[in-house]
Amino acid sequence: MAGIRSVALPSPRRPDLPAREVSEGRHGDRTRLWYENVLRWPTVPGVPPRLVVGVRFDVLDVPAEAGRAALERLGGAAEGFPVAVQGDRMRLLIAAGGADELPGLLEWLDWGGLDLDLRALGEGRLMDAPAPWDAGAGPDAPRGHPAAGRPGDGRPDSPQGAAVWLRPPEPGREAEASLPTLSAMDTRSPRGVGDGPPDLVRLISTVATQIHRVRLRRSGAGAAAQGVGQPLAFS
């Protein structure tokens, strides 16, 4: 009809989202697919995505300071199994079913009844999925997160407080074979006797000891700062 112009209608738009939320959502999708497709670990979508605990692994959740001291104390005996950190917490991956053993092992090791800051996550629990920084990278990509223990530092796509791998699971191999387990004493790996996964009893004993030592050190420092047990000064 003469005199009538066609008017271009705007295409439907999705609701505006903050740029950071969109970025984290896309990053979370890549992270979740990496765990599902590469490691075959079940996940739960979200921001951040989460790993389902109790299927392929359980988790020991400990204070990061004590966890680092325990790993240093164990030395080579603690190498090989995945370890993540998030804020001031460290998560040590152990064999599935290990969480159920924690109360009995603490009793057996004479740590029962003490209020240790040591938790075990088992079937039905979730943990934040650390971003697989090597996903999509070449085989020469560095192993280990340069900012592990300091989430958000040194990695622009890791938001503050995000979980990161201190020691990541190895793609291309069964991660479960490296996890601490009750039956790991004198086990044999392809490299020889005693070179298999760490023993869960020794791991829990060492972690509990270091948690207790950190607590004693802090309580001693607090007492000293308040002058407890110090001789009175007279002028």
Side-chain angles (χ1 to χ4, degrees):
M1 194 178 291
I4 297 179
R5 300 187 299 179
S6 62
V7 177
L9 297 177
S11 59
R13 295 181 56 191
R14 60 178 295 181
D16 290 333
L17 294 175
R20 177 174 178 178
E21 184 174 340
V22 172
S23 175
E24 289 181 0
R26 291 172 180 169
H27 179 72
D29 288 341
R30 290 197 301 269
T31 295
R32 186 174 61 83
L33 290 175
W34 187 86
Y35 284 105
E36 293 273 2
N37 297 333
V38 177
L39 295 182
R40 308 295 182 184
W41 286 2
T43 66
V44 173
V47 181
R50 290 172 292 177
L51 301 175
V52 178
V53 179
V55 178
R56 305 292 295 272
F57 59 87
D58 284 357
V59 175
L60 290 181
D61 185 298
V62 307
E65 181 180 359
R68 288 179 181 276
L71 293 179
E72 183 176 352
R73 186 83 172 178
L74 289 166
E79 293 180 1
F81 67 95
V83 177
V85 288
Q86 184 171 18
D88 61 354
R89 306 298 297 182
M90 177 176 286
R91 288 164 188 151
L92 310 165
L93 269 59
I94 60 176
D100 295 335
E101 306 292 343
L102 180 62
L105 287 176
L106 290 175
E107 288 287 345
W108 186 65
L109 293 166
D110 293 330
W111 289 109
L114 295 180
D115 185 22
L116 291 175
D117 189 7
L118 169 60
R119 300 188 294 268
L121 310 180
E123 185 176 1
R125 302 297 297 273
L126 302 170
M127 67 171 275
D128 287 358
W133 61 93
D134 57 345
D140 297 328
R143 307 298 299 164
H145 198 299
R150 294 175 288 110
D153 294 343
R155 180 174 167 80
D157 57 345
S158 288
Q160 185 69 28
V164 294
W165 285 115
L166 179 63
R167 282 209 307 257
E170 295 285 347
R173 58 175 285 191
E174 286 293 325
E176 287 84 349
S178 71
L179 300 180
T181 176
L182 278 177
S183 58
M185 292 288 286
D186 297 325
T187 52
R188 179 184 292 272
S189 78
R191 291 179 290 181
V193 174
D195 201 21
D199 173 43
L200 183 60
V201 176
R202 184 179 177 191
L203 175 63
I204 290 176
S205 175
T206 306
V207 168
T209 299
Q210 296 307 317
I211 291 174
H212 189 58
R213 286 179 175 174
V214 168
R215 178 178 294 176
L216 289 177
R217 183 169 65 248
R218 288 180 175 175
S219 63
Q226 296 176 22
V228 176
Q230 300 296 318
L232 297 175
F234 295 92
S235 56

